[in-house]
Amino acid sequence: MLGMHPWIGLADDVRLGLLTEWVTADLVDGALAECGKRDVRPGALPARFMVYYVLALALFQQDSYDDVAENLVGALEGMDEVIPNKSSFTRARQRLGAGVIEAVFRKLAGPVAPPGLQGAFWRGMRVAAVDGFVLDLPDTPANRAAFGGPVDARGQAAGFPQARVVTLTETGTHSSIDASVGAYGGGEPELAIAMAGSAAGMLVIMDRAFPGVALWKAYTQAGAHLLIRARSSVARRPVEVLQDGTYLARMNLAGQKGAHPGGVLVRVIEYRVDGGEVIRLLTDLLDPAAFPAGELAALYHQRWESEGSFRQVKTFQRGPQEILRSADPELVRQEVWAHLAVHHCLTRIIMRLASEERIDPDRLSFTKILKHVRRSVIRQSAQTSVQIKQLMVTMAAKVCRKLDNGIRRLREADRSLKRPASKYSFRKSGQVRRPTRRVAAKVLTLHPAIVQ
């Protein structure tokens, strides 16, 4: 292809700015070797370069293929004049596959909180949260068949296909410890079970979409402890009331009797916040003296840190309401793993700056760190270890003046749907229309007998 030859030797020249501190050439080569990927086609884009390029696609989500390529090589003399076309990049991404980028993520991922960091530990256990989110995908037949998506009352597609992502997130830092990627119709609990082995020794918090015997056994047998919110129908019959007012109950599979040996024994903590609904938490920490109910109830609030992590990925890094660029399921998975890997590196940068300045990492602006990293790629100003160190010193000097958002406010607003899918309801043929709330209220006012 015209202009392709100058790109052949790019593998040793291209770097990913500040992210190269963690996504080193040795790490990339290890991931390629692990997945059995080698440069076998003469004249093709090098595999190592393509790893950096795929990560750059996630870093510059709103840029086109050639724009991202220019961002990577623009500072190299003459290279921005011979950018390969989009189809060449697409074929190179297909040869690379999703497994290599997943391997890069797994080599990077893990807890990063130092001992004593506020919100990261409780009674000697590292605190993590499991939750999930979805990403919109291009509406191609292949993506629709592989991932599925939301449907309306008629069973017809109601929006873009979506990939479901579930992560194990360190609450004190927003660092990804592990992740699972699946189809929209796949349950979050099933994806969460796959991460149980990464949670050993941690206290893992989950919301009420997750309780289940299989998940409970997977995490506790892996050496993790659990704190999960549950609905009123789960483990509702007390087996023993403890001295602090909490009680032990059995959680069973659907259809099993309470004494069935397949169930698990859990401790139930019930409380209200400002007179609101009763909140029920399940935990395997059965000793009320060693693990006070009040502290566990207060700790559950840390689950929202995973939501903050998702917002960083979906709103700031990807862009609000942006659709991923990949039209093929394998490339979709590749792109999702790239977003998770880039986000973890950005978290590492935040943690290093926070440690050097001795401030809470929550105070550092994720969006401003993201912009600095993007600039470091475009300028190729962090190619060597010395340049990376100098750039980190420059960023540290800006912490007090520019990057520090101050002490973060507590979350107070209720969770509510801001953008309803549709203001019109679907009614099947022959279905009687139900009155709206306003009409119903008027009927009750005019006809009190209805209340009776």
Side-chain angles (χ1 to χ4, degrees):
M1 187 184 70
L2 182 63
M4 181 60 124
H5 61 280
W7 286 67
I8 304 303
L10 277 182
D12 295 326
D13 297 328
V14 172
R15 295 292 183 268
L16 205 58
L18 278 172
L19 302 191
T20 311
E21 172 79 359
W22 293 275
V23 190
T24 63
D26 288 342
L27 183 144
V28 172
D29 290 344
L32 290 169
E34 187 177 300
C35 297
K37 300 292 183 178
R38 296 180 298 171
D39 294 323
V40 294
R41 291 188 56 184
L45 290 167
R48 186 201 291 175
F49 166 78
M50 284 307 301
V51 171
Y52 286 122
Y53 180 75
V54 169
L55 295 175
L57 288 176
L59 185 62
F60 298 95
Q61 172 67 38
Q62 299 179 38
D63 289 356
S64 64
Y65 271 54
D66 57 338
D67 286 341
V68 173
E70 286 191 28
N71 291 340
L72 277 176
V73 304
L76 303 178
E77 185 176 355
M79 295 305 300
D80 58 342
E81 300 175 2
V82 287
I83 303 295
N85 58 37
K86 181 178 178 180
S87 61
S88 296
F89 285 119
T90 300
R91 289 193 296 270
R93 287 186 61 196
Q94 290 170 340
R95 289 193 298 270
L96 187 68
V100 173
I101 307 301
E102 180 181 354
V104 169
F105 167 79
R106 299 202 179 281
K107 289 177 180 294
L108 293 168
V112 298
L117 180 66
Q118 183 178 0
F121 298 90
W122 182 76
R123 292 186 174 255
M125 293 177 283
R126 191 180 297 272
V127 181
V130 168
D131 208 348
F133 62 96
V134 293
L135 293 168
D136 290 338
L137 315 175
D139 197 350
T140 64
N143 282 345
R144 179 72 63 181
F147 294 100
V151 296
D152 59 21
R154 294 169 291 186
Q156 301 298 313
F160 292 99
Q162 293 181 331
R164 188 175 298 281
V165 184
V166 176
T167 66
L168 176 64
T169 304
E170 188 176 41
T171 59
T173 65
H174 294 175
S175 169
S176 296
I177 300 170
D178 201 351
S180 295
V181 180
Y184 174 82
E188 289 185 346
E190 288 73 20
L191 293 174
I193 288 174
M195 303 185 295
S198 300
M202 302 180 188
L203 175 57
V204 183
I205 308 173
M206 306 184 198
D207 66 19
R208 51 187 162 188
F210 288 93
V213 173
L215 181 142
W216 195 277
K217 289 182 177 180
Y219 275 80
T220 54
Q221 290 173 3
H225 297 286
L226 295 171
L227 182 65
I228 308 181
R229 187 173 179 181
R231 296 178 174 85
S232 59
S233 59
V234 179
R236 59 190 178 90
R237 296 181 179 178
V239 172
E240 177 186 350
V241 178
L242 304 178
Q243 59 187 13
D244 64 344
T246 62
Y247 60 89
L248 303 182
R250 293 195 66 82
M251 179 170 60
N252 300 303
L253 295 170
Q256 289 182 347
K257 295 183 178 180
H260 194 283
V264 292
L265 187 67
V266 301
R267 178 184 172 201
V268 182
I269 301 170
E270 297 181 342
Y271 63 98
R272 296 178 186 268
V273 177
D274 297 330
E277 65 174 316
V278 175
I279 297 175
R280 304 177 73 247
L281 302 179
L282 311 182
T283 181
D284 66 316
L285 302 172
L286 306 183
D287 188 344
F291 309 106
E295 291 185 19
L296 287 168
L299 188 65
Y300 180 74
H301 182 82
Q302 291 294 323
R303 187 192 72 79
W304 289 99
E305 295 299 331
S306 62
E307 300 283 356
S309 175
F310 300 160
R311 183 168 179 249
Q312 290 173 347
V313 174
K314 296 178 64 176
T315 303
F316 304 135
Q317 182 177 306
R318 179 202 63 174
Q321 298 187 341
E322 283 285 322
I323 302 167
L324 298 188
R325 67 177 85 230
S326 303
D328 176 79
E330 180 71 4
L331 298 188
V332 165
R333 296 184 183 92
Q334 181 190 81
E335 191 174 354
V336 173
W337 288 116
H339 272 289
L340 294 173
V342 168
H343 178 263
H344 183 80
C345 290
L346 294 171
T347 302
R348 289 286 191 94
I349 294 174
I350 290 173
M351 287 304 301
R352 177 174 293 186
L353 291 172
S355 176
E356 291 174 354
E357 297 300 315
R358 298 182 180 180
I359 62 175
D360 191 323
D362 286 338
R363 295 179 57 165
L364 293 181
S365 169
F366 180 85
T367 55
K368 292 177 181 177
I369 298 296
L370 176 62
K371 290 176 182 178
H372 274 281
V373 171
R374 285 172 174 167
R375 291 190 199 111
S376 75
V377 174
I378 295 171
R379 297 171 182 170
Q380 288 292 299
S381 57
Q383 287 188 294
T384 67
S385 59
V386 174
Q387 289 176 327
I388 290 173
K389 185 176 180 179
Q390 290 174 342
L391 194 52
M392 289 296 294
V393 170
T394 301
M395 291 179 65
K398 294 182 179 180
V399 167
C400 296
R401 177 174 62 86
K402 194 172 182 180
L403 303 180
D404 187 358
N405 283 336
I407 299 174
R408 192 179 67 176
R409 296 177 299 169
L410 293 176
R411 178 184 175 276
E412 296 177 350
D414 293 331
R415 192 176 191 181
S416 59
L417 183 65
K418 298 294 194 307
R419 292 188 178 91
S422 174
K423 63 181 179 179
Y424 301 105
S425 59
F426 170 74
R427 183 157 50 104
K428 294 181 180 179
S429 177
Q431 179 180 347
V432 178
R433 182 183 178 186
R434 293 182 297 177
T436 62
R437 291 183 179 181
R438 184 176 298 176
V439 173
K442 187 174 181 180
V443 171
L444 291 175
T445 302
L446 295 177
H447 303 282
I450 295 179
V451 181
Q452 301 176 359

mmCIF file of all heavy atoms in Angstrom, residues 256-286:
data_model
loop_
_atom_site.group_PDB
_atom_site.id
_atom_site.type_symbol
_atom_site.label_atom_id
_atom_site.label_comp_id
_atom_site.label_asym_id
_atom_site.label_seq_id
_atom_site.Cartn_x
_atom_site.Cartn_y
_atom_site.Cartn_z
ATOM 1 N N GLN A 256 -36.217 -23.976 47.256
ATOM 2 C CA GLN A 256 -35.708 -24.812 48.338
ATOM 3 C C GLN A 256 -36.351 -24.423 49.668
ATOM 4 O O GLN A 256 -36.673 -23.261 49.902
ATOM 5 C CB GLN A 256 -34.191 -24.662 48.457
ATOM 6 C CG GLN A 256 -33.405 -25.293 47.325
ATOM 7 C CD GLN A 256 -31.909 -25.153 47.536
ATOM 8 O OE1 GLN A 256 -31.467 -24.392 48.383
ATOM 9 N NE2 GLN A 256 -31.137 -25.895 46.749
ATOM 10 N N LYS A 257 -36.499 -25.391 50.534
ATOM 11 C CA LYS A 257 -36.984 -25.117 51.878
ATOM 12 C C LYS A 257 -35.868 -24.503 52.721
ATOM 13 O O LYS A 257 -34.687 -24.621 52.399
ATOM 14 C CB LYS A 257 -37.489 -26.403 52.526
ATOM 15 C CG LYS A 257 -38.716 -26.991 51.833
ATOM 16 C CD LYS A 257 -39.218 -28.227 52.559
ATOM 17 C CE LYS A 257 -40.465 -28.778 51.884
ATOM 18 N NZ LYS A 257 -40.982 -29.993 52.581
ATOM 19 N N GLY A 258 -36.260 -23.856 53.809
ATOM 20 C CA GLY A 258 -35.300 -23.135 54.632
ATOM 21 C C GLY A 258 -34.182 -23.997 55.169
ATOM 22 O O GLY A 258 -33.056 -23.531 55.334
ATOM 23 N N ALA A 259 -34.443 -25.259 55.462
ATOM 24 C CA ALA A 259 -33.423 -26.130 56.051
ATOM 25 C C ALA A 259 -32.610 -26.884 55.009
ATOM 26 O O ALA A 259 -31.801 -27.743 55.356
ATOM 27 C CB ALA A 259 -34.100 -27.131 56.997
ATOM 28 N N HIS A 260 -32.799 -26.568 53.731
ATOM 29 C CA HIS A 260 -32.084 -27.295 52.679
ATOM 30 C C HIS A 260 -30.571 -27.083 52.826
ATOM 31 O O HIS A 260 -30.107 -25.954 53.014
ATOM 32 C CB HIS A 260 -32.552 -26.795 51.307
ATOM 33 C CG HIS A 260 -32.142 -27.690 50.188
ATOM 34 N ND1 HIS A 260 -30.856 -27.707 49.683
ATOM 35 C CD2 HIS A 260 -32.843 -28.620 49.472
ATOM 36 C CE1 HIS A 260 -30.789 -28.587 48.698
ATOM 37 N NE2 HIS A 260 -31.969 -29.155 48.546
ATOM 38 N N PRO A 261 -29.783 -28.150 52.737
ATOM 39 C CA PRO A 261 -28.330 -28.017 52.935
ATOM 40 C C PRO A 261 -27.631 -27.216 51.847
ATOM 41 O O PRO A 261 -26.474 -26.831 52.007
ATOM 42 C CB PRO A 261 -27.847 -29.477 52.942
ATOM 43 C CG PRO A 261 -28.895 -30.228 52.180
ATOM 44 C CD PRO A 261 -30.194 -29.553 52.504
ATOM 45 N N GLY A 262 -28.300 -26.969 50.728
ATOM 46 C CA GLY A 262 -27.673 -26.211 49.657
ATOM 47 C C GLY A 262 -27.619 -24.723 49.911
ATOM 48 O O GLY A 262 -26.950 -23.991 49.180
ATOM 49 N N GLY A 263 -28.307 -24.237 50.957
ATOM 50 C CA GLY A 263 -28.324 -22.814 51.256
ATOM 51 C C GLY A 263 -27.091 -22.382 52.034
ATOM 52 O O GLY A 263 -26.186 -23.161 52.316
ATOM 53 N N VAL A 264 -27.053 -21.068 52.369
ATOM 54 C CA VAL A 264 -25.933 -20.514 53.134
ATOM 55 C C VAL A 264 -26.483 -19.712 54.306
ATOM 56 O O VAL A 264 -27.573 -19.131 54.234
ATOM 57 C CB VAL A 264 -25.037 -19.612 52.251
ATOM 58 C CG1 VAL A 264 -24.307 -20.428 51.214
ATOM 59 C CG2 VAL A 264 -25.845 -18.502 51.589
ATOM 60 N N LEU A 265 -25.743 -19.691 55.400
ATOM 61 C CA LEU A 265 -26.124 -18.928 56.580
ATOM 62 C C LEU A 265 -25.552 -17.522 56.466
ATOM 63 O O LEU A 265 -24.358 -17.341 56.218
ATOM 64 C CB LEU A 265 -25.601 -19.608 57.844
ATOM 65 C CG LEU A 265 -26.051 -19.012 59.183
ATOM 66 C CD1 LEU A 265 -27.555 -19.231 59.378
ATOM 67 C CD2 LEU A 265 -25.275 -19.635 60.346
ATOM 68 N N VAL A 266 -26.415 -16.516 56.654
ATOM 69 C CA VAL A 266 -25.990 -15.123 56.524
ATOM 70 C C VAL A 266 -26.459 -14.336 57.750
ATOM 71 O O VAL A 266 -27.380 -14.753 58.461
ATOM 72 C CB VAL A 266 -26.570 -14.471 55.251
ATOM 73 C CG1 VAL A 266 -26.139 -15.233 54.012
ATOM 74 C CG2 VAL A 266 -28.092 -14.369 55.317
ATOM 75 N N ARG A 267 -25.801 -13.232 57.975
ATOM 76 C CA ARG A 267 -26.219 -12.294 59.017
ATOM 77 C C ARG A 267 -26.955 -11.142 58.350
ATOM 78 O O ARG A 267 -26.473 -10.574 57.364
ATOM 79 C CB ARG A 267 -25.004 -11.783 59.774
ATOM 80 C CG ARG A 267 -25.291 -10.743 60.862
ATOM 81 C CD ARG A 267 -23.992 -10.271 61.459
ATOM 82 N NE ARG A 267 -24.128 -9.163 62.374
ATOM 83 C CZ ARG A 267 -23.139 -8.341 62.700
ATOM 84 N NH1 ARG A 267 -21.932 -8.525 62.172
ATOM 85 N NH2 ARG A 267 -23.343 -7.341 63.528
ATOM 86 N N VAL A 268 -28.120 -10.794 58.872
ATOM 87 C CA VAL A 268 -28.968 -9.766 58.279
ATOM 88 C C VAL A 268 -28.937 -8.521 59.157
ATOM 89 O O VAL A 268 -29.193 -8.588 60.361
ATOM 90 C CB VAL A 268 -30.416 -10.263 58.105
ATOM 91 C CG1 VAL A 268 -31.266 -9.182 57.425
ATOM 92 C CG2 VAL A 268 -30.448 -11.558 57.303
ATOM 93 N N ILE A 269 -28.633 -7.390 58.542
ATOM 94 C CA ILE A 269 -28.613 -6.096 59.238
ATOM 95 C C ILE A 269 -29.700 -5.233 58.611
ATOM 96 O O ILE A 269 -29.704 -5.013 57.396
ATOM 97 C CB ILE A 269 -27.241 -5.407 59.082
ATOM 98 C CG1 ILE A 269 -26.133 -6.299 59.652
ATOM 99 C CG2 ILE A 269 -27.239 -4.043 59.746
ATOM 100 C CD1 ILE A 269 -24.741 -5.810 59.330
ATOM 101 N N GLU A 270 -30.636 -4.753 59.424
ATOM 102 C CA GLU A 270 -31.731 -3.916 58.930
ATOM 103 C C GLU A 270 -31.674 -2.549 59.590
ATOM 104 O O GLU A 270 -31.456 -2.443 60.797
ATOM 105 C CB GLU A 270 -33.083 -4.570 59.198
ATOM 106 C CG GLU A 270 -33.276 -5.901 58.466
ATOM 107 C CD GLU A 270 -34.641 -6.513 58.742
ATOM 108 O OE1 GLU A 270 -35.276 -6.103 59.743
ATOM 109 O OE2 GLU A 270 -35.073 -7.387 57.971
ATOM 110 N N TYR A 271 -31.874 -1.490 58.781
ATOM 111 C CA TYR A 271 -31.851 -0.135 59.328
ATOM 112 C C TYR A 271 -32.585 0.807 58.380
ATOM 113 O O TYR A 271 -32.883 0.469 57.232
ATOM 114 C CB TYR A 271 -30.410 0.345 59.537
ATOM 115 C CG TYR A 271 -29.579 0.450 58.278
ATOM 116 C CD1 TYR A 271 -29.415 1.673 57.627
ATOM 117 C CD2 TYR A 271 -28.943 -0.674 57.735
ATOM 118 C CE1 TYR A 271 -28.657 1.775 56.463
ATOM 119 C CE2 TYR A 271 -28.189 -0.577 56.580
ATOM 120 C CZ TYR A 271 -28.043 0.644 55.951
ATOM 121 O OH TYR A 271 -27.302 0.748 54.811
ATOM 122 N N ARG A 272 -32.884 1.989 58.874
ATOM 123 C CA ARG A 272 -33.501 3.037 58.068
ATOM 124 C C ARG A 272 -32.587 4.251 58.042
ATOM 125 O O ARG A 272 -31.838 4.493 58.984
ATOM 126 C CB ARG A 272 -34.857 3.469 58.646
ATOM 127 C CG ARG A 272 -35.934 2.392 58.647
ATOM 128 C CD ARG A 272 -37.201 2.929 59.297
ATOM 129 N NE ARG A 272 -38.221 1.918 59.455
ATOM 130 C CZ ARG A 272 -39.168 1.672 58.557
ATOM 131 N NH1 ARG A 272 -39.219 2.392 57.449
ATOM 132 N NH2 ARG A 272 -40.069 0.722 58.766
ATOM 133 N N VAL A 273 -32.672 5.033 56.979
ATOM 134 C CA VAL A 273 -31.947 6.289 56.869
ATOM 135 C C VAL A 273 -32.965 7.417 56.814
ATOM 136 O O VAL A 273 -33.768 7.493 55.878
ATOM 137 C CB VAL A 273 -31.052 6.320 55.621
ATOM 138 C CG1 VAL A 273 -30.363 7.675 55.491
ATOM 139 C CG2 VAL A 273 -30.021 5.208 55.679
ATOM 140 N N ASP A 274 -32.958 8.289 57.844
ATOM 141 C CA ASP A 274 -33.888 9.427 57.915
ATOM 142 C C ASP A 274 -35.341 8.998 57.749
ATOM 143 O O ASP A 274 -36.142 9.651 57.061
ATOM 144 C CB ASP A 274 -33.535 10.466 56.841
ATOM 145 C CG ASP A 274 -32.150 11.055 57.047
ATOM 146 O OD1 ASP A 274 -31.724 11.119 58.206
ATOM 147 O OD2 ASP A 274 -31.509 11.427 56.056
ATOM 148 N N GLY A 275 -35.695 7.883 58.359
ATOM 149 C CA GLY A 275 -37.081 7.438 58.321
ATOM 150 C C GLY A 275 -37.545 6.886 56.996
ATOM 151 O O GLY A 275 -38.743 6.713 56.767
ATOM 152 N N GLY A 276 -36.631 6.597 56.091
ATOM 153 C CA GLY A 276 -36.993 6.068 54.771
ATOM 154 C C GLY A 276 -37.252 4.579 54.799
ATOM 155 O O GLY A 276 -37.599 4.004 55.845
ATOM 156 N N GLU A 277 -37.085 3.932 53.650
ATOM 157 C CA GLU A 277 -37.344 2.502 53.552
ATOM 158 C C GLU A 277 -36.337 1.700 54.385
ATOM 159 O O GLU A 277 -35.238 2.177 54.697
ATOM 160 C CB GLU A 277 -37.253 2.058 52.087
ATOM 161 C CG GLU A 277 -35.869 2.190 51.492
ATOM 162 C CD GLU A 277 -35.786 1.609 50.094
ATOM 163 O OE1 GLU A 277 -36.320 0.504 49.875
ATOM 164 O OE2 GLU A 277 -35.179 2.261 49.231
ATOM 165 N N VAL A 278 -36.731 0.490 54.729
ATOM 166 C CA VAL A 278 -35.843 -0.402 55.465
ATOM 167 C C VAL A 278 -34.776 -0.940 54.508
ATOM 168 O O VAL A 278 -35.085 -1.490 53.454
ATOM 169 C CB VAL A 278 -36.619 -1.567 56.092
ATOM 170 C CG1 VAL A 278 -35.661 -2.545 56.758
ATOM 171 C CG2 VAL A 278 -37.629 -1.052 57.099
ATOM 172 N N ILE A 279 -33.527 -0.747 54.863
ATOM 173 C CA ILE A 279 -32.410 -1.257 54.078
ATOM 174 C C ILE A 279 -31.908 -2.533 54.738
ATOM 175 O O ILE A 279 -31.660 -2.560 55.941
ATOM 176 C CB ILE A 279 -31.276 -0.217 53.982
ATOM 177 C CG1 ILE A 279 -31.780 1.018 53.237
ATOM 178 C CG2 ILE A 279 -30.054 -0.805 53.283
ATOM 179 C CD1 ILE A 279 -30.789 2.145 53.189
ATOM 180 N N ARG A 280 -31.781 -3.589 53.964
ATOM 181 C CA ARG A 280 -31.349 -4.884 54.480
ATOM 182 C C ARG A 280 -30.005 -5.243 53.863
ATOM 183 O O ARG A 280 -29.850 -5.259 52.640
ATOM 184 C CB ARG A 280 -32.369 -5.974 54.161
ATOM 185 C CG ARG A 280 -33.765 -5.666 54.662
ATOM 186 C CD ARG A 280 -34.758 -6.741 54.252
ATOM 187 N NE ARG A 280 -34.569 -7.971 55.009
ATOM 188 C CZ ARG A 280 -34.154 -9.125 54.492
ATOM 189 N NH1 ARG A 280 -33.847 -9.209 53.215
ATOM 190 N NH2 ARG A 280 -34.032 -10.202 55.245
ATOM 191 N N LEU A 281 -29.028 -5.533 54.708
ATOM 192 C CA LEU A 281 -27.703 -5.942 54.265
ATOM 193 C C LEU A 281 -27.436 -7.366 54.717
ATOM 194 O O LEU A 281 -27.771 -7.737 55.849
ATOM 195 C CB LEU A 281 -26.631 -5.012 54.836
ATOM 196 C CG LEU A 281 -26.740 -3.520 54.505
ATOM 197 C CD1 LEU A 281 -25.602 -2.753 55.173
ATOM 198 C CD2 LEU A 281 -26.737 -3.290 53.009
ATOM 199 N N LEU A 282 -26.818 -8.152 53.851
ATOM 200 C CA LEU A 282 -26.403 -9.517 54.176
ATOM 201 C C LEU A 282 -24.889 -9.556 54.239
ATOM 202 O O LEU A 282 -24.205 -8.959 53.407
ATOM 203 C CB LEU A 282 -26.886 -10.507 53.117
ATOM 204 C CG LEU A 282 -28.355 -10.453 52.682
ATOM 205 C CD1 LEU A 282 -28.630 -11.551 51.664
ATOM 206 C CD2 LEU A 282 -29.282 -10.579 53.885
ATOM 207 N N THR A 283 -24.353 -10.266 55.221
ATOM 208 C CA THR A 283 -22.905 -10.397 55.341
ATOM 209 C C THR A 283 -22.551 -11.761 55.900
ATOM 210 O O THR A 283 -23.369 -12.408 56.578
ATOM 211 C CB THR A 283 -22.320 -9.294 56.255
ATOM 212 O OG1 THR A 283 -20.905 -9.434 56.331
ATOM 213 C CG2 THR A 283 -22.909 -9.372 57.659
ATOM 214 N N ASP A 284 -21.342 -12.203 55.584
ATOM 215 C CA ASP A 284 -20.839 -13.453 56.147
ATOM 216 C C ASP A 284 -20.033 -13.195 57.422
ATOM 217 O O ASP A 284 -19.514 -14.133 58.025
ATOM 218 C CB ASP A 284 -19.974 -14.195 55.129
ATOM 219 C CG ASP A 284 -18.698 -13.428 54.799
ATOM 220 O OD1 ASP A 284 -18.790 -12.199 54.612
ATOM 221 O OD2 ASP A 284 -17.623 -14.055 54.720
ATOM 222 N N LEU A 285 -19.921 -11.927 57.829
ATOM 223 C CA LEU A 285 -19.234 -11.559 59.075
ATOM 224 C C LEU A 285 -20.246 -11.693 60.206
ATOM 225 O O LEU A 285 -21.013 -10.769 60.498
ATOM 226 C CB LEU A 285 -18.692 -10.129 58.965
ATOM 227 C CG LEU A 285 -17.722 -9.893 57.788
ATOM 228 C CD1 LEU A 285 -17.396 -8.410 57.655
ATOM 229 C CD2 LEU A 285 -16.445 -10.716 57.975
ATOM 230 N N LEU A 286 -20.261 -12.852 60.856
ATOM 231 C CA LEU A 286 -21.352 -13.212 61.764
ATOM 232 C C LEU A 286 -21.181 -12.694 63.185
ATOM 233 O O LEU A 286 -22.154 -12.643 63.937
ATOM 234 C CB LEU A 286 -21.513 -14.737 61.795
ATOM 235 C CG LEU A 286 -21.689 -15.435 60.425
ATOM 236 C CD1 LEU A 286 -21.908 -16.932 60.627
ATOM 237 C CD2 LEU A 286 -22.828 -14.820 59.645
#
